[in-house]
Amino acid sequence: MFKLFTSKKAAKNLAIGLASATTASGLGLALALNVDLFASDHGCYPAKYPWFHEGLFNTLDHASIRRGYEVYKQVCAACHSMRYTYFRHLVGVSHTEEEAKAEAAESMVTDGPNEEGNMFERPGKLSDPLPSPYPNDEAAKAANGGALPPDLSLIAFARNNGTNYIFSLLTGYHDPPAGVEEKEGLHYNPYFNGGWIAMAKALYDEIIEYSDGTPATTSQLAKDVTEFLRWSSEKSHDEKKKLLLKTFLIFPPILALFYVYKRRVFTVMKSRKIVFNPTKSSGSEKH
């Protein structure tokens, strides 16, 4: 019987050991594959920049979002669409309602059909998305040598280390190192996977003039448009931070009340003492 018990115990320990080893191996393999995928997502891994919104209770920089919209409108919108960002999203974030309506009215939108069954052009409204530079993806490919410019609505979440990657990519153009042969129609950027990207450098000093007078240096332009794209990818960012702050303010008093209530209700039960005093049976007294 003792040998059987020992063998079962050994088998159980062996099974636990095998399960633990398998789990650890699986987690290690998954981590290795994950790191490998992250490494292949970029060429050079971008540096970590001190973005203000990464603080626990910090919001996005709304002045920077407004300037970033100007950069997108005057530079990026020539090739990239933002199909999931609407003019109404700008209201209360970077523009007033009147300003957003004026921005929307600058673009002409195909609508319809009308009463005669025909499509027609009308000024944009708050309910319209930001205008796309091309009518469809095939037209976009034809205009860019077969390369499809990605939609930028969610680009900050579509790339690993999104904000740092976008900023590094926009400011990372330079001549290829010695010994690297240039590729026709491509531009060298070490932060892009493979080192060569179809998009030419788009940001230069003073390429646009900010409405608030901020000096339009290359790094400032890249920072602002990155902030704008980060907001576009998560438009509820600030609301989530506000909800988190409210949670931190409300839960401690609630937990304190529950603790006091628990102590009040269960103090009697936890402090009582139950004693069992067995009495001798009549049979045991005879013996």
Side-chain angles (χ1 to χ4, degrees), residues 58-96:
N58 294 346
T59 64
L60 292 165
D61 185 347
H62 289 238
S64 183
I65 292 174
R66 184 185 178 99
R67 293 193 299 268
Y69 169 75
E70 295 178 10
V71 178
Y72 168 77
K73 177 184 175 181
Q74 300 182 50
V75 180
C76 308
C79 298
H80 295 274
S81 62
M82 296 192 72
R83 301 170 184 169
Y84 306 107
T85 298
Y86 291 71
F87 285 105
R88 69 174 183 269
H89 292 142
L90 301 175
V91 178
V93 176
S94 58
H95 295 70
T96 63

Side-chain angles (χ1 to χ4, degrees), residues 24-279:
S25 301
L27 291 175
L29 179 61
L31 180 61
L33 291 175
N34 194 36
V35 171
D36 182 62
L37 288 173
F38 280 178
S40 65
D41 197 20
H42 311 302
C44 294
Y45 199 80
K48 181 175 176 60
Y49 296 99
W51 299 98
F52 178 76
H53 61 261
E54 291 184 349
L56 184 61
F57 298 112
N58 294 346
T59 64
L60 292 165
D61 185 347
H62 289 238
S64 183
I65 292 174
R66 184 185 178 99
R67 293 193 299 268
Y69 169 75
E70 295 178 10
V71 178
Y72 168 77
K73 177 184 175 181
Q74 300 182 50
V75 180
C76 308
C79 298
H80 295 274
S81 62
M82 296 192 72
R83 301 170 184 169
Y84 306 107
T85 298
Y86 291 71
F87 285 105
R88 69 174 183 269
H89 292 142
L90 301 175
V91 178
V93 176
S94 58
H95 295 70
T96 63
E97 184 174 350
E98 291 73 20
E99 289 174 335
K101 287 181 177 179
E103 289 289 330
E106 292 181 5
S107 60
M108 298 302 294
V109 179
T110 301
D111 204 347
N114 56 18
E115 295 178 355
E116 299 175 354
N118 299 321
M119 304 300 288
F120 60 92
E121 297 285 328
R122 62 163 176 80
K125 301 184 296 185
L126 289 179
S127 57
D128 294 321
L130 301 186
S132 298
Y134 307 105
N136 52 62
D137 289 348
E138 296 305 320
K141 291 179 182 179
N144 292 276
L148 177 63
D151 184 270
L152 299 182
S153 303
L154 305 172
I155 195 68
F157 282 175
R159 300 292 183 268
N160 176 40
N161 201 9
T163 49
N164 294 319
Y165 169 70
I166 295 172
F167 180 85
S168 299
L169 183 73
L170 293 174
T171 57
Y173 288 89
H174 58 77
D175 295 332
V180 177
E181 184 179 354
E182 295 189 13
K183 298 183 180 181
E184 184 179 358
L186 299 178
H187 308 272
Y188 184 74
N189 192 316
Y191 295 100
F192 189 74
N193 184 23
W196 295 95
I197 184 172
M199 183 180 75
K201 182 178 180 179
L203 301 181
Y204 297 90
D205 292 344
E206 307 300 333
I207 192 174
I208 69 169
E209 184 177 346
Y210 281 130
S211 60
D212 62 358
T214 301
T217 62
T218 301
S219 59
Q220 184 68 51
L221 294 166
K223 185 264 182 186
D224 291 334
V225 75
T226 300
E227 191 87 13
F228 172 70
L229 296 177
R230 176 62 179 81
W231 162 80
S232 177
S233 297
E234 189 183 14
K235 300 176 181 66
S236 60
H237 175 275
D238 290 358
E239 295 300 323
K240 291 179 180 178
K241 291 290 183 72
K242 290 179 182 178
L243 181 61
L244 179 64
L245 179 60
K246 291 177 181 178
T247 302
F248 272 92
L249 293 175
I250 292 174
F251 263 81
I254 293 177
L255 292 176
L257 289 175
F258 271 109
Y259 177 76
V260 172
Y261 179 75
K262 178 256 184 185
R263 294 280 296 180
R264 180 182 179 85
V265 172
F266 291 97
T267 297
V268 177
M269 297 183 62
K270 290 191 173 184
S271 60
R272 66 181 179 175
K273 181 178 181 181
I274 301 176
V275 179
F276 175 69
N277 295 320
T279 58

